[in-house]
Amino acid sequence: MSAALKVGAVVITMGDRPDELRALLDSIAEQEGDRVEVVVVGNGSPVPPVPEGVRTVELPENLGIPGGRNVGIEAFGPGGRDVDVLLFLDDDGLLARHDTAELCRRAFDADPKLGIVSFRIADPDTGVTQRRHVPRLRASDPMRSSRVTTFLGGANAVRTKVFAEVGGLPDEFFYAHEETDLAWRALDAGWMIDYRSDMVLHHPTTAPSRHAVYHRMVARNRVWLARRNLPAPLVPVYLGVWLLLTLARRPSGAALRAWSGGFREGWTTACGPRRPMKWRTVWRLTRLGRPPVI
């Protein structure tokens, strides 16, 4: 039964949003069903005061988003094995409903091959879901749930068997595209990914370019993603398409210089182990609406 599935949550923080963090933790505590155990990881910073029962880990340096989340996973035992499902939530988000954890239990219980669920992110004031937060090409209707090929890093749930089978997030990415790297490895291992519009995280509308390293990291990690995961003939196709899309968006001179530097860095630096996906996984991605050339 779904009640048997144990759910935990990992939240990483830089310690600079104590009020938002407390609100998020309160929303987790208010979830229906069995208690959700929470680990908060201070990523190179002290963790602000948290409610009793919330575990904390304080890292001496910032390991980046995937590195910090991997520490959170291991706090639940190797590969997170002490629980069945882990929620990953941004520290300035808020679970909009009290039944989200229970919806996760039911979803994973009903579908043994479901490995990852991507939540819908909505602005708390307007209710608007940004197009970039719908993890599929046909993103005009955020209220439509569907199978997808990737997921949102700060609003998702992962079956911990996925980590046991394919490993955690790529530490070296630090920021950007780490979710797609894990998603492709999970799909290659036979797991499925769902986008669920009824599982909602309230989060203020933001632009990803607010991060100073955005353009460099996006370009570098895009190259790493391809080098690590794609069959050799698809690597230049995938990166060529993204190069053309980037130029079509007419970035500023400074942004383009940062992007170009990151693109070069992606080719000249180590990206971790190369494990190209099977061609049947390429076909599966294509049938799901996002062939791995875009």
Side-chain angles (χ1 to χ4, degrees):
M1 300 295 292
S2 61
L5 293 179
K6 293 182 181 178
V7 178
V10 173
V11 180
I12 60 173
T13 183
M14 299 293 291
D16 54 351
R17 295 188 282 232
D19 295 339
E20 292 89 340
L21 174 63
R22 183 59 184 251
L24 170 64
L25 296 176
D26 288 345
S27 74
I28 297 173
E30 292 166 358
Q31 291 298 297
E32 298 168 0
D34 294 341
R35 177 176 175 269
V36 178
E37 186 178 352
V38 183
V39 169
V40 178
V41 178
N43 212 357
S45 66
V47 175
V50 296
E52 185 177 354
V54 173
R55 290 189 288 157
T56 62
V57 179
E58 294 186 351
L59 303 177
E61 62 179 312
N62 183 355
L63 299 183
I65 294 173
R69 287 184 177 142
N70 283 337
V71 169
I73 294 168
E74 295 301 307
F76 288 93
R81 68 184 182 191
D82 294 345
V83 293
D84 301 298
V85 175
L86 277 175
L87 311 181
F88 295 88
L89 306 169
D90 277 351
D91 68 341
D92 56 345
L94 182 77
L95 290 174
R97 297 170 44 156
H98 293 169
D99 64 347
T100 302
E102 186 59 22
L103 288 173
C104 285
R105 293 185 184 98
R106 294 174 189 168
F108 286 109
D109 189 57
D111 186 352
K113 295 308 295 180
L114 180 61
I116 303 171
V117 173
S118 189
F119 298 174
R120 180 167 63 89
I121 294 179
D123 185 274
D125 297 322
T126 66
V128 171
T129 296
Q130 293 178 272
R131 186 180 181 90
R132 69 185 182 90
H133 284 154
V134 182
R136 59 177 178 245
L137 290 179
R138 296 178 179 177
S140 60
D141 182 7
M143 300 307 294
R144 180 173 67 87
S145 299
S146 68
R147 293 283 200 200
V148 290
T149 62
T150 189
F151 63 99
L152 306 175
N156 68 80
V158 182
R159 193 190 297 267
T160 53
K161 287 182 180 178
V162 173
F163 298 127
E165 186 168 352
V166 307
L169 296 156
D171 287 343
E172 52 271 271
F173 278 43
F174 197 85
Y175 165 78
H177 302 319
E178 67 272 6
E179 302 91 0
T180 300
D181 187 89
L182 176 61
W184 283 1
R185 287 183 281 127
L187 288 164
D188 198 48
W191 296 101
M192 300 302 293
I193 306 171
D194 280 355
Y195 166 72
R196 288 282 297 264
S197 64
D198 57 338
M199 301 181 189
V200 183
L201 185 82
H202 278 164
H203 189 282
T205 298
T206 57
S209 55
R210 71 190 185 279
H211 299 291
V213 297
Y214 171 76
H215 295 287
R216 171 178 156 256
M217 291 291 194
V218 161
R220 185 197 68 181
N221 292 359
R222 183 77 70 184
V223 178
W224 281 359
L225 180 68
R227 289 175 59 197
R228 286 164 59 96
N229 295 288
L230 291 181
L234 294 185
V235 173
V237 179
Y238 177 80
L239 295 176
V241 168
W242 278 107
L243 173 61
L244 292 175
L245 285 173
T246 299
L247 295 175
R249 290 167 180 162
R250 303 180 69 179
S252 68
L256 186 58
R257 285 191 295 274
W259 192 95
S260 299
F263 194 81
R264 287 193 299 272
E265 186 181 348
W267 286 107
T268 58
T269 55
C271 62
R274 172 167 166 76
R275 299 187 181 94
M277 66 178 66
K278 307 173 190 73
W279 282 104
R280 68 170 175 263
T281 305
V282 173
W283 176 236
R284 174 192 272 188
L285 289 162
T286 302
R287 286 191 298 123
L288 287 170
R290 190 153 196 163
V293 293
I294 189 169

